[in-house]
Amino acid sequence: MIRPPRIPAPGLGRTTAPTALGAAVLLLWDLANTRHWVSDLILPRPLDVAAATRDLFASGLVWGHLRATLYETLAGFGLAAALGVGTALAAGTSAVVRRMVYPYAVTLQVLPMLSVAPILISAFGFGATAKIVIAALVAFFPIFVNTLTGMLDPDADAEELFRSLRAGRRRTFTGLLLPTATPMIFAGLRIGLTLALAGAVVAEIVSAQEGLGFLVQRYSSQLNQDDAFAVVAVVTGMGLLLYGAVGCADRVIVFWRHAGRLPARSRARERRVRRRLAAAERSTP
């Protein structure tokens, strides 16, 4: 698997091109409506979607459904992260476990979740449990495979150093394999969290009494495309915020991959050392 590229820090130069592209898409979208290339019953105007989004939040209707979807997403993601990272770490340190687990992980990935969702809902009921399970199943594979890839691809020079120092399995795991795999783990977590959101929404569309997916299904069946697109916009915004949250955690925890954070870490460590030295000098008679 190709290693994920380093994500640069936001800046004016880096946001101009995406902003220009987004503006062009919105202008083309609006032009398609005003020129009647597409019916408003199929594709509402961007301003109508914006007004519907504002009304959803102003009326308070969306908050309860948003909380339900967020809970199912985070619970499913937490379950997938625990199982995916734990299984991959075990598979990365044991060839026997890897040969035993990997075929089933691939089978789970190719399983058509839309066809399995009704079965899981029938098994786990119509509450949040079924949605959590579906979200976890959807998010499991990218977390597992990214973690396993990081475990199996340590730095060759560092691995030779640990071998020459006769480091044990535990020391090699904590000092080499886990730090090497951490960037790939976070890459899998970013993908897994967005997939968990998609899985929860799809499960709500199949069968639910609350959640953003339920709202999309209800508004679409009523041909209320303005509100349906507004809910999709809310789901998209939630996904971007969750993706950004994992990215922020990545920048804090895996700080050595982000050159801009190294000076800040060094300065923070220097301040801590200075405070300790000053406290020691004051305590010395």
Side-chain angles (χ1 to χ4, degrees):
M1 174 170 293
I2 300 175
R3 287 186 175 277
R6 293 187 177 183
I7 300 176
L12 181 60
R14 298 184 181 94
T15 59
T16 302
T19 302
L21 178 60
V25 170
L26 290 176
L27 288 175
L28 182 61
W29 179 358
D30 190 68
L31 184 63
N33 288 113
T34 55
R35 295 295 181 88
H36 302 290
W37 296 341
V38 181
S39 173
D40 290 348
L41 295 176
I42 299 175
L43 186 66
R45 296 187 62 185
L47 290 178
D48 295 336
V49 174
T53 305
R54 180 198 61 205
D55 294 340
L56 278 177
F57 284 99
S59 65
L61 173 65
V62 74
W63 292 112
H65 298 282
L66 192 150
R67 282 193 296 269
T69 301
L70 182 61
Y71 167 71
E72 294 160 1
T73 299
L74 294 180
F77 169 72
L79 180 60
L83 293 177
V85 173
T87 305
L89 293 179
T93 55
S94 172
V96 175
V97 176
R98 185 162 62 252
R99 288 194 296 267
M100 185 168 48
V101 170
Y102 193 81
Y104 294 101
V106 175
T107 302
L108 187 64
Q109 171 65 13
V110 301
L111 194 66
M113 199 53 59
L114 277 176
S115 61
V116 177
I119 300 175
L120 294 175
I121 291 174
S122 299
F124 291 98
F126 295 93
T129 303
K131 284 74 173 179
I132 293 172
V133 171
I134 293 172
L137 291 176
V138 173
F140 172 81
F141 185 77
I143 298 174
F144 169 81
V145 75
N146 276 274
T147 303
L148 181 60
T149 301
M151 289 287 293
L152 297 179
D153 189 26
D155 182 79
D157 294 335
E159 189 175 20
E160 180 63 27
L161 175 62
F162 272 72
R163 190 180 297 113
S164 64
L165 294 175
R166 297 182 180 180
R169 291 173 60 89
R170 180 177 179 181
R171 182 58 181 169
T172 302
F173 175 79
T174 58
L176 174 63
L177 297 180
L178 188 58
T180 302
T182 303
M184 293 295 292
I185 292 175
F186 273 94
L189 292 177
R190 285 198 296 266
I191 300 172
L193 184 52
T194 55
L195 288 180
L197 174 60
V201 171
V202 168
E204 291 169 351
I205 292 176
V206 173
S207 177
Q209 296 299 319
E210 62 178 351
L212 297 178
F214 166 73
L215 284 183
V216 171
Q217 193 277 335
R218 187 176 73 177
Y219 289 140
S220 298
S221 64
Q222 297 172 352
L223 295 180
N224 187 354
Q225 296 296 79
D226 294 355
D227 287 334
F229 271 76
V231 177
V232 171
V234 173
V235 173
T236 304
M238 180 191 298
L240 291 174
L241 289 175
L242 293 176
Y243 186 91
V246 179
C248 290
D250 181 13
R251 291 183 62 83
V252 171
I253 296 175
V254 196
F255 60 89
W256 60 88
R257 288 185 64 237
H258 308 279
R261 288 197 55 82
L262 291 176
R265 296 276 299 192
S266 299
R267 289 193 296 269
R269 185 170 298 175
E270 181 183 1
R271 287 194 296 269
R272 288 198 299 269
V273 171
R274 288 181 180 276
R275 285 196 297 268
R276 291 172 183 171
L277 290 175
E281 290 177 357
R282 288 194 299 268
S283 62
T284 302

